[in-house]
Amino acid sequence: MRAGYVDLWVAGELAIIQRLKTLGYSHCAITGDHDGLEELRARADEIGVRVVGKNVLEAYSRGDVLNRVKERPRHTLVSIVPMTREALMVAVRDERVDTVIVHGEIAEIDRHVIQVLQNPLELTLNTVLKVMGDLKALRKIVGVCKTSIVRELPLVISSGASNATGLRKPRQLAYLAAALAGTDGPCLETVSETPLSILHRRRFTYG
Amino acid sequence: MAERVLRLRRRYVGVTPYPDGVSLEDAWLRIYEVFRDLYGLMGVVASGLKRVKVGGSLVIACYHDWVPELVGVLTLVNEIGGRPVSLDIYKISGTIKGVVGEE
């Protein structure tokens, strides 16, 4: 029996969390200002959704990645947006990084990156919607989806939603990678096992 | 003697717009537009994409091997008539009755 569905990138609003519960999610990671995180977490627990904080950080070099993850807050996920190949190579293997964000200008995920890859890649619905008008960027995103499915790389799909209409049912998100890669779907592990393993790893590490 | 014509299996996808108040006709036109943008005119033909008019429900039909692509398109629809909207899939079935009964 599946343990639950996870949306690993949403904005921190109560309406979003209520809609997540309606759609069948059990966990979510919220970005933005974490000042009201404890209160939001308490309200979300009453609704039935477990909430964790998340920081999304851009990095342009190896030093950037190392500096960004050095002072990670406790009980907060850290995701890196690698803007260069150097940052990508460091982000995919640093165990302090939880996910590596896939975007339209990401460096190619070739055999060298795959060889050192330890951390899951994360693709958001928001990113796919943004690149729909840009063939070059869409080609990169489709390439990452195909590589991840064929090579069985850990991949997480999240919504990246800033409001309730940006959310989708877990199975719909799971079909997204299959639809882009042209394979039979859905890839349910991208919205269930893979993100849950990230949450369990952090909870286990920090108690 | 007539040759046997290949009969492709169909799947019917029941869809509900969120939030309420969106015209089903507008939703169908937007789905068709996004599908055609992604997969082209030949994709529309090859998938057998069409709307099935069943009472007050929005039911989209396609051939069984195009279900991932159709679900991907439904996931990518984020606005209808300039209004932010998402499309929730409540059922995928091999029969129309199976979809309409679930709503």
Side-chain angles (χ1 to χ4, degrees):
Chain A
M1 188 176 169
R2 203 168 292 281
Y5 294 111
V6 184
D7 194 338
L8 217 55
W9 187 341
V10 294
E13 291 178 14
L14 197 60
I16 289 179
I17 294 172
Q18 285 166 340
R19 174 99 174 119
L20 282 172
K21 179 65 181 174
T22 310
L23 293 175
Y25 289 92
S26 59
H27 298 73
C28 71
I30 65 170
T31 56
D33 184 17
H34 293 323
D35 283 344
L37 181 60
E38 286 306 320
E39 185 188 340
L40 189 63
R41 186 179 283 146
R43 300 281 298 275
D45 279 345
E46 290 169 17
I47 294 170
V49 176
R50 302 286 298 275
V51 167
V52 296
K54 175 170 175 158
N55 283 343
V56 180
L57 308 162
E58 283 188 358
Y60 291 83
S61 66
R62 180 175 177 275
D64 265 354
V65 176
L66 297 178
N67 287 333
R68 297 271 193 275
V69 299
K70 198 187 298 183
E71 295 169 0
R72 60 176 296 155
R74 289 172 70 87
H75 308 296
T76 300
L77 300 180
V78 170
S79 294
I80 296 291
V81 184
M83 305 306 287
T84 62
R85 182 178 166 78
E86 181 190 349
L88 173 66
M89 290 292 280
V90 175
V92 295
R93 62 183 303 183
D94 193 317
E95 62 179 23
R96 293 167 295 179
V97 174
D98 292 300
T99 64
V100 178
I101 306 293
V102 174
H103 56 93
E105 292 164 8
I106 196 170
E108 188 190 348
I109 311 285
D110 58 12
R111 58 193 174 91
H112 304 291
V113 176
I114 293 171
Q115 197 163 21
V116 300
L117 191 137
Q118 303 282 336
N119 300 321
L121 302 170
E122 182 178 352
L123 176 66
T124 66
L125 173 64
N126 218 16
T127 301
V128 178
L129 288 169
K130 276 185 195 166
V131 304
M132 287 289 281
D134 182 348
L135 267 183
K136 192 175 169 186
L138 184 60
R139 196 176 290 132
K140 282 215 172 182
I141 301 287
V142 169
V144 170
C145 290
K146 281 186 175 171
T147 304
S148 300
I149 290 174
V150 167
R151 299 291 199 112
E152 296 181 353
L153 304 178
L155 178 67
V156 171
I157 300 191
S158 53
S159 63
S162 55
N163 53 54
T165 56
L167 300 170
R168 300 290 186 274
K169 285 190 168 181
R171 288 185 73 92
Q172 285 183 243
L173 284 185
Y175 265 109
L176 189 63
L180 291 175
T183 57
D184 293 333
C187 310
L188 283 172
E189 64 277 2
T190 58
V191 291
S192 186
E193 280 103 352
T194 307
L196 274 175
S197 69
I198 297 170
L199 296 179
H200 289 155
R201 184 177 72 174
R202 289 297 156 207
R203 191 164 61 211
F204 177 75
T205 303
Y206 293 116
Chain B
M1 187 173 176
E3 289 180 5
R4 186 184 175 91
V5 177
L6 179 66
R7 188 176 77 86
L8 294 168
R9 286 169 281 162
R10 282 193 168 275
R11 293 291 179 266
Y12 300 92
V13 181
V15 177
T16 307
Y18 171 86
D20 296 329
V22 177
S23 155
L24 297 184
E25 186 63 29
D26 289 346
W28 157 243
L29 289 173
R30 181 70 183 139
I31 292 167
Y32 179 87
E33 186 185 334
V34 174
F35 196 103
R36 193 169 162 169
D37 274 348
L38 262 184
Y39 300 108
L41 193 57
M42 285 307 296
V44 172
V45 171
S47 65
L49 184 76
K50 66 178 186 180
R51 180 189 173 190
V52 178
K53 290 196 174 174
V54 184
S57 313
L58 179 59
V59 178
I60 312 291
C62 69
Y63 296 133
H64 73 280
D65 47 358
W66 281 81
V67 168
E69 283 80 4
L70 175 58
V71 175
V73 164
L74 293 171
T75 304
L76 289 171
V77 171
N78 66 336
E79 62 91 16
I80 296 172
R83 188 180 161 195
V85 159
S86 67
L87 296 175
D88 294 342
I89 297 172
Y90 61 84
K91 182 77 173 180
I92 301 176
S93 173
T95 61
I96 298 173
K97 191 175 175 184
V99 172
V100 173
E102 180 74 18
E103 194 185 12

